[in-house]
PDB file of all heavy atoms in Angstrom:
ATOM      1  N   ASP A 517     -16.304 -10.946  10.259  1.00  0.00           N
ATOM      2  CA  ASP A 517     -16.329  -9.502  10.014  1.00  0.00           C
ATOM      3  C   ASP A 517     -15.611  -8.677  11.075  1.00  0.00           C
ATOM      4  O   ASP A 517     -14.811  -7.724  10.737  1.00  0.00           O
ATOM      5  CB  ASP A 517     -17.806  -9.130   9.965  1.00  0.00           C
ATOM      6  CG  ASP A 517     -17.959  -7.641   9.506  1.00  0.00           C
ATOM      7  OD1 ASP A 517     -17.420  -7.246   8.554  1.00  0.00           O
ATOM      8  OD2 ASP A 517     -18.680  -6.921  10.356  1.00  0.00           O
ATOM      9  N   GLN A 518     -15.742  -9.012  12.288  1.00  0.00           N
ATOM     10  CA  GLN A 518     -15.128  -8.284  13.407  1.00  0.00           C
ATOM     11  C   GLN A 518     -13.566  -8.425  13.243  1.00  0.00           C
ATOM     12  O   GLN A 518     -12.847  -7.448  13.384  1.00  0.00           O
ATOM     13  CB  GLN A 518     -15.532  -8.806  14.751  1.00  0.00           C
ATOM     14  CG  GLN A 518     -14.972  -7.974  15.806  1.00  0.00           C
ATOM     15  CD  GLN A 518     -15.404  -8.481  17.218  1.00  0.00           C
ATOM     16  OE1 GLN A 518     -16.164  -9.534  17.275  1.00  0.00           O
ATOM     17  NE2 GLN A 518     -15.020  -7.885  18.356  1.00  0.00           N
ATOM     18  N   THR A 519     -13.100  -9.560  12.889  1.00  0.00           N
ATOM     19  CA  THR A 519     -11.640  -9.834  12.891  1.00  0.00           C
ATOM     20  C   THR A 519     -11.148  -9.007  11.620  1.00  0.00           C
ATOM     21  O   THR A 519     -10.097  -8.351  11.768  1.00  0.00           O
ATOM     22  CB  THR A 519     -11.349 -11.291  12.618  1.00  0.00           C
ATOM     23  OG1 THR A 519     -11.891 -12.089  13.743  1.00  0.00           O
ATOM     24  CG2 THR A 519      -9.876 -11.524  12.423  1.00  0.00           C
ATOM     25  N   LEU A 520     -11.801  -9.053  10.538  1.00  0.00           N
ATOM     26  CA  LEU A 520     -11.384  -8.251   9.367  1.00  0.00           C
ATOM     27  C   LEU A 520     -11.376  -6.754   9.600  1.00  0.00           C
ATOM     28  O   LEU A 520     -10.554  -6.092   9.137  1.00  0.00           O
ATOM     29  CB  LEU A 520     -12.284  -8.606   8.066  1.00  0.00           C
ATOM     30  CG  LEU A 520     -12.076  -9.990   7.556  1.00  0.00           C
ATOM     31  CD1 LEU A 520     -13.175 -10.280   6.423  1.00  0.00           C
ATOM     32  CD2 LEU A 520     -10.704 -10.325   7.063  1.00  0.00           C
ATOM     33  N   ALA A 521     -12.448  -6.311  10.324  1.00  0.00           N
ATOM     34  CA  ALA A 521     -12.462  -4.859  10.716  1.00  0.00           C
ATOM     35  C   ALA A 521     -11.167  -4.415  11.530  1.00  0.00           C
ATOM     36  O   ALA A 521     -10.623  -3.317  11.295  1.00  0.00           O
ATOM     37  CB  ALA A 521     -13.720  -4.598  11.505  1.00  0.00           C
ATOM     38  N   ILE A 522     -10.789  -5.334  12.460  1.00  0.00           N
ATOM     39  CA  ILE A 522      -9.566  -5.003  13.186  1.00  0.00           C
ATOM     40  C   ILE A 522      -8.379  -4.988  12.348  1.00  0.00           C
ATOM     41  O   ILE A 522      -7.524  -3.991  12.399  1.00  0.00           O
ATOM     42  CB  ILE A 522      -9.349  -6.061  14.357  1.00  0.00           C
ATOM     43  CG1 ILE A 522     -10.527  -5.823  15.311  1.00  0.00           C
ATOM     44  CG2 ILE A 522      -8.069  -5.898  15.050  1.00  0.00           C
ATOM     45  CD1 ILE A 522     -10.589  -6.912  16.406  1.00  0.00           C
ATOM     46  N   TYR A 523      -8.191  -5.909  11.477  1.00  0.00           N
ATOM     47  CA  TYR A 523      -7.069  -5.985  10.501  1.00  0.00           C
ATOM     48  C   TYR A 523      -7.142  -4.765   9.601  1.00  0.00           C
ATOM     49  O   TYR A 523      -6.073  -4.129   9.330  1.00  0.00           O
ATOM     50  CB  TYR A 523      -6.976  -7.323   9.754  1.00  0.00           C
ATOM     51  CG  TYR A 523      -6.406  -8.408  10.418  1.00  0.00           C
ATOM     52  CD1 TYR A 523      -7.158  -9.548  10.828  1.00  0.00           C
ATOM     53  CD2 TYR A 523      -5.081  -8.410  10.905  1.00  0.00           C
ATOM     54  CE1 TYR A 523      -6.580 -10.590  11.511  1.00  0.00           C
ATOM     55  CE2 TYR A 523      -4.497  -9.487  11.571  1.00  0.00           C
ATOM     56  CZ  TYR A 523      -5.256 -10.548  11.884  1.00  0.00           C
ATOM     57  OH  TYR A 523      -4.681 -11.552  12.517  1.00  0.00           O
ATOM     58  N   GLN A 524      -8.232  -4.367   9.101  1.00  0.00           N
ATOM     59  CA  GLN A 524      -8.436  -3.233   8.190  1.00  0.00           C
ATOM     60  C   GLN A 524      -7.964  -1.958   8.906  1.00  0.00           C
ATOM     61  O   GLN A 524      -7.244  -1.153   8.416  1.00  0.00           O
ATOM     62  CB  GLN A 524      -9.737  -3.106   7.675  1.00  0.00           C
ATOM     63  CG  GLN A 524     -10.019  -2.094   6.592  1.00  0.00           C
ATOM     64  CD  GLN A 524     -11.409  -2.070   6.063  1.00  0.00           C
ATOM     65  OE1 GLN A 524     -12.282  -2.718   6.615  1.00  0.00           O
ATOM     66  NE2 GLN A 524     -11.574  -1.316   5.045  1.00  0.00           N
ATOM     67  N   GLN A 525      -8.367  -1.838  10.227  1.00  0.00           N
ATOM     68  CA  GLN A 525      -7.978  -0.706  10.986  1.00  0.00           C
ATOM     69  C   GLN A 525      -6.553  -0.649  11.213  1.00  0.00           C
ATOM     70  O   GLN A 525      -5.940   0.419  11.100  1.00  0.00           O
ATOM     71  CB  GLN A 525      -8.694  -0.688  12.259  1.00  0.00           C
ATOM     72  CG  GLN A 525      -8.922   0.619  12.921  1.00  0.00           C
ATOM     73  CD  GLN A 525      -9.865   0.631  14.093  1.00  0.00           C
ATOM     74  OE1 GLN A 525     -10.322  -0.455  14.528  1.00  0.00           O
ATOM     75  NE2 GLN A 525     -10.059   1.661  14.707  1.00  0.00           N
ATOM     76  N   ILE A 526      -5.870  -1.770  11.504  1.00  0.00           N
ATOM     77  CA  ILE A 526      -4.454  -1.795  11.676  1.00  0.00           C
ATOM     78  C   ILE A 526      -3.673  -1.408  10.417  1.00  0.00           C
ATOM     79  O   ILE A 526      -2.817  -0.626  10.280  1.00  0.00           O
ATOM     80  CB  ILE A 526      -3.909  -3.232  12.213  1.00  0.00           C
ATOM     81  CG1 ILE A 526      -4.540  -3.431  13.657  1.00  0.00           C
ATOM     82  CG2 ILE A 526      -2.440  -3.378  12.179  1.00  0.00           C
ATOM     83  CD1 ILE A 526      -4.400  -4.967  14.094  1.00  0.00           C
ATOM     84  N   LEU A 527      -4.130  -2.030   9.323  1.00  0.00           N
ATOM     85  CA  LEU A 527      -3.459  -1.862   8.099  1.00  0.00           C
ATOM     86  C   LEU A 527      -3.574  -0.484   7.487  1.00  0.00           C
ATOM     87  O   LEU A 527      -2.577   0.084   6.934  1.00  0.00           O
ATOM     88  CB  LEU A 527      -3.858  -2.817   6.907  1.00  0.00           C
ATOM     89  CG  LEU A 527      -3.674  -4.350   7.252  1.00  0.00           C
ATOM     90  CD1 LEU A 527      -4.199  -5.162   6.060  1.00  0.00           C
ATOM     91  CD2 LEU A 527      -2.253  -4.522   7.324  1.00  0.00           C
ATOM     92  N   THR A 528      -4.754   0.165   7.735  1.00  0.00           N
ATOM     93  CA  THR A 528      -4.806   1.634   7.275  1.00  0.00           C
ATOM     94  C   THR A 528      -4.032   2.591   8.163  1.00  0.00           C
ATOM     95  O   THR A 528      -3.742   3.674   7.680  1.00  0.00           O
ATOM     96  CB  THR A 528      -6.338   2.084   7.393  1.00  0.00           C
ATOM     97  OG1 THR A 528      -6.981   1.877   8.656  1.00  0.00           O
ATOM     98  CG2 THR A 528      -7.119   1.253   6.228  1.00  0.00           C
ATOM     99  N   SER A 529      -3.595   2.117   9.308  1.00  0.00           N
ATOM    100  CA  SER A 529      -2.772   2.967  10.183  1.00  0.00           C
ATOM    101  C   SER A 529      -1.306   2.850   9.880  1.00  0.00           C
ATOM    102  O   SER A 529      -0.475   3.576  10.337  1.00  0.00           O
ATOM    103  CB  SER A 529      -3.001   2.785  11.637  1.00  0.00           C
ATOM    104  OG  SER A 529      -2.704   1.374  12.066  1.00  0.00           O
ATOM    105  N   LEU A 530      -0.901   1.852   9.056  1.00  0.00           N
ATOM    106  CA  LEU A 530       0.497   1.611   8.716  1.00  0.00           C
ATOM    107  C   LEU A 530       0.876   2.504   7.454  1.00  0.00           C
ATOM    108  O   LEU A 530       0.025   2.709   6.519  1.00  0.00           O
ATOM    109  CB  LEU A 530       0.745   0.042   8.287  1.00  0.00           C
ATOM    110  CG  LEU A 530       0.591  -0.844   9.414  1.00  0.00           C
ATOM    111  CD1 LEU A 530       0.682  -2.345   8.841  1.00  0.00           C
ATOM    112  CD2 LEU A 530       1.656  -0.613  10.405  1.00  0.00           C
ATOM    113  N   PRO A 531       2.012   3.126   7.480  1.00  0.00           N
ATOM    114  CA  PRO A 531       2.380   4.014   6.350  1.00  0.00           C
ATOM    115  C   PRO A 531       2.894   3.166   5.128  1.00  0.00           C
ATOM    116  O   PRO A 531       3.218   3.823   4.131  1.00  0.00           O
ATOM    117  CB  PRO A 531       3.477   4.841   6.908  1.00  0.00           C
ATOM    118  CG  PRO A 531       4.154   4.088   8.106  1.00  0.00           C
ATOM    119  CD  PRO A 531       2.936   3.115   8.552  1.00  0.00           C
ATOM    120  N   SER A 532       3.047   2.026   5.146  1.00  0.00           N
ATOM    121  CA  SER A 532       3.551   1.179   4.070  1.00  0.00           C
ATOM    122  C   SER A 532       2.672   1.082   2.875  1.00  0.00           C
ATOM    123  O   SER A 532       1.383   1.006   3.045  1.00  0.00           O
ATOM    124  CB  SER A 532       3.760  -0.179   4.607  1.00  0.00           C
ATOM    125  OG  SER A 532       4.267  -1.060   3.490  1.00  0.00           O
ATOM    126  N   ARG A 533       3.177   1.329   1.813  1.00  0.00           N
ATOM    127  CA  ARG A 533       2.376   1.153   0.550  1.00  0.00           C
ATOM    128  C   ARG A 533       2.019  -0.282   0.164  1.00  0.00           C
ATOM    129  O   ARG A 533       1.186  -0.481  -0.566  1.00  0.00           O
ATOM    130  CB  ARG A 533       2.997   1.883  -0.721  1.00  0.00           C
ATOM    131  CG  ARG A 533       3.208   3.286  -0.495  1.00  0.00           C
ATOM    132  CD  ARG A 533       3.847   4.030  -1.716  1.00  0.00           C
ATOM    133  NE  ARG A 533       5.108   3.278  -2.071  1.00  0.00           N
ATOM    134  CZ  ARG A 533       5.835   3.770  -2.969  1.00  0.00           C
ATOM    135  NH1 ARG A 533       5.585   4.862  -3.613  1.00  0.00           N
ATOM    136  NH2 ARG A 533       7.070   3.131  -3.268  1.00  0.00           N
ATOM    137  N   ASN A 534       2.727  -1.166   0.707  1.00  0.00           N
ATOM    138  CA  ASN A 534       2.489  -2.613   0.500  1.00  0.00           C
ATOM    139  C   ASN A 534       1.007  -3.063   0.954  1.00  0.00           C
ATOM    140  O   ASN A 534       0.468  -3.943   0.411  1.00  0.00           O
ATOM    141  CB  ASN A 534       3.412  -3.568   1.460  1.00  0.00           C
ATOM    142  CG  ASN A 534       4.805  -3.379   0.918  1.00  0.00           C
ATOM    143  OD1 ASN A 534       5.144  -3.202  -0.322  1.00  0.00           O
ATOM    144  ND2 ASN A 534       5.768  -3.518   1.773  1.00  0.00           N
ATOM    145  N   VAL A 535       0.521  -2.342   1.902  1.00  0.00           N
ATOM    146  CA  VAL A 535      -0.770  -2.831   2.522  1.00  0.00           C
ATOM    147  C   VAL A 535      -2.090  -2.140   1.931  1.00  0.00           C
ATOM    148  O   VAL A 535      -3.138  -2.411   2.422  1.00  0.00           O
ATOM    149  CB  VAL A 535      -0.684  -2.744   3.993  1.00  0.00           C
ATOM    150  CG1 VAL A 535       0.373  -3.638   4.584  1.00  0.00           C
ATOM    151  CG2 VAL A 535      -0.598  -1.309   4.507  1.00  0.00           C
ATOM    152  N   ILE A 536      -1.911  -1.044   1.114  1.00  0.00           N
ATOM    153  CA  ILE A 536      -3.033  -0.347   0.771  1.00  0.00           C
ATOM    154  C   ILE A 536      -4.068  -1.242  -0.068  1.00  0.00           C
ATOM    155  O   ILE A 536      -5.181  -1.075   0.286  1.00  0.00           O
ATOM    156  CB  ILE A 536      -2.562   0.883  -0.123  1.00  0.00           C
ATOM    157  CG1 ILE A 536      -1.780   1.950   0.716  1.00  0.00           C
ATOM    158  CG2 ILE A 536      -3.691   1.595  -0.818  1.00  0.00           C
ATOM    159  CD1 ILE A 536      -1.111   3.006  -0.129  1.00  0.00           C
ATOM    160  N   GLN A 537      -3.550  -1.843  -0.999  1.00  0.00           N
ATOM    161  CA  GLN A 537      -4.517  -2.776  -1.696  1.00  0.00           C
ATOM    162  C   GLN A 537      -5.133  -3.799  -0.847  1.00  0.00           C
ATOM    163  O   GLN A 537      -6.231  -4.203  -1.059  1.00  0.00           O
ATOM    164  CB  GLN A 537      -3.730  -3.384  -2.907  1.00  0.00           C
ATOM    165  CG  GLN A 537      -4.707  -4.221  -3.856  1.00  0.00           C
ATOM    166  CD  GLN A 537      -5.884  -3.414  -4.417  1.00  0.00           C
ATOM    167  OE1 GLN A 537      -5.650  -2.350  -5.019  1.00  0.00           O
ATOM    168  NE2 GLN A 537      -7.070  -3.885  -4.257  1.00  0.00           N
ATOM    169  N   ILE A 538      -4.332  -4.377  -0.038  1.00  0.00           N
ATOM    170  CA  ILE A 538      -4.813  -5.404   0.924  1.00  0.00           C
ATOM    171  C   ILE A 538      -5.995  -4.829   1.879  1.00  0.00           C
ATOM    172  O   ILE A 538      -6.919  -5.584   1.900  1.00  0.00           O
ATOM    173  CB  ILE A 538      -3.731  -6.082   1.705  1.00  0.00           C
ATOM    174  CG1 ILE A 538      -2.730  -6.829   0.793  1.00  0.00           C
ATOM    175  CG2 ILE A 538      -4.282  -6.871   2.812  1.00  0.00           C
ATOM    176  CD1 ILE A 538      -1.423  -7.337   1.556  1.00  0.00           C
ATOM    177  N   SER A 539      -5.701  -3.654   2.241  1.00  0.00           N
ATOM    178  CA  SER A 539      -6.791  -2.966   3.095  1.00  0.00           C
ATOM    179  C   SER A 539      -8.076  -2.777   2.191  1.00  0.00           C
ATOM    180  O   SER A 539      -9.150  -3.020   2.743  1.00  0.00           O
ATOM    181  CB  SER A 539      -6.243  -1.616   3.547  1.00  0.00           C
ATOM    182  OG  SER A 539      -7.235  -0.989   4.318  1.00  0.00           O
ATOM    183  N   ASN A 540      -7.884  -2.410   0.980  1.00  0.00           N
ATOM    184  CA  ASN A 540      -9.166  -2.181   0.118  1.00  0.00           C
ATOM    185  C   ASN A 540      -9.771  -3.559  -0.132  1.00  0.00           C
ATOM    186  O   ASN A 540     -10.974  -3.631  -0.118  1.00  0.00           O
ATOM    187  CB  ASN A 540      -8.655  -1.541  -1.189  1.00  0.00           C
ATOM    188  CG  ASN A 540      -8.201  -0.134  -1.022  1.00  0.00           C
ATOM    189  OD1 ASN A 540      -8.635   0.516  -0.050  1.00  0.00           O
ATOM    190  ND2 ASN A 540      -7.375   0.302  -1.974  1.00  0.00           N
ATOM    191  N   ASP A 541      -8.959  -4.604  -0.322  1.00  0.00           N
ATOM    192  CA  ASP A 541      -9.505  -5.921  -0.529  1.00  0.00           C
ATOM    193  C   ASP A 541     -10.291  -6.386   0.725  1.00  0.00           C
ATOM    194  O   ASP A 541     -11.363  -7.079   0.604  1.00  0.00           O
ATOM    195  CB  ASP A 541      -8.432  -6.966  -0.831  1.00  0.00           C
ATOM    196  CG  ASP A 541      -7.876  -6.804  -2.245  1.00  0.00           C
ATOM    197  OD1 ASP A 541      -8.448  -6.083  -3.001  1.00  0.00           O
ATOM    198  OD2 ASP A 541      -6.694  -7.255  -2.428  1.00  0.00           O
ATOM    199  N   LEU A 542      -9.786  -6.065   1.924  1.00  0.00           N
ATOM    200  CA  LEU A 542     -10.496  -6.405   3.165  1.00  0.00           C
ATOM    201  C   LEU A 542     -11.887  -5.747   3.179  1.00  0.00           C
ATOM    202  O   LEU A 542     -12.888  -6.281   3.627  1.00  0.00           O
ATOM    203  CB  LEU A 542      -9.766  -6.043   4.341  1.00  0.00           C
ATOM    204  CG  LEU A 542      -8.418  -6.795   4.628  1.00  0.00           C
ATOM    205  CD1 LEU A 542      -7.711  -6.385   5.948  1.00  0.00           C
ATOM    206  CD2 LEU A 542      -8.721  -8.255   4.689  1.00  0.00           C
ATOM    207  N   GLU A 543     -12.014  -4.486   2.791  1.00  0.00           N
ATOM    208  CA  GLU A 543     -13.241  -3.796   2.727  1.00  0.00           C
ATOM    209  C   GLU A 543     -14.183  -4.481   1.866  1.00  0.00           C
ATOM    210  O   GLU A 543     -15.327  -4.747   2.196  1.00  0.00           O
ATOM    211  CB  GLU A 543     -12.996  -2.390   2.143  1.00  0.00           C
ATOM    212  CG  GLU A 543     -14.274  -1.527   2.008  1.00  0.00           C
ATOM    213  CD  GLU A 543     -14.579  -0.605   3.174  1.00  0.00           C
ATOM    214  OE1 GLU A 543     -13.698  -0.424   3.942  1.00  0.00           O
ATOM    215  OE2 GLU A 543     -15.747  -0.405   3.352  1.00  0.00           O
TER     216      GLU A 543
END
């Protein structure tokens, strides 16, 4: 959970549209 929280935080800070769905999936 902690690892996924870090990745989710990193991905949401990226402006790329490639990672939006991945960030939602991590949630």
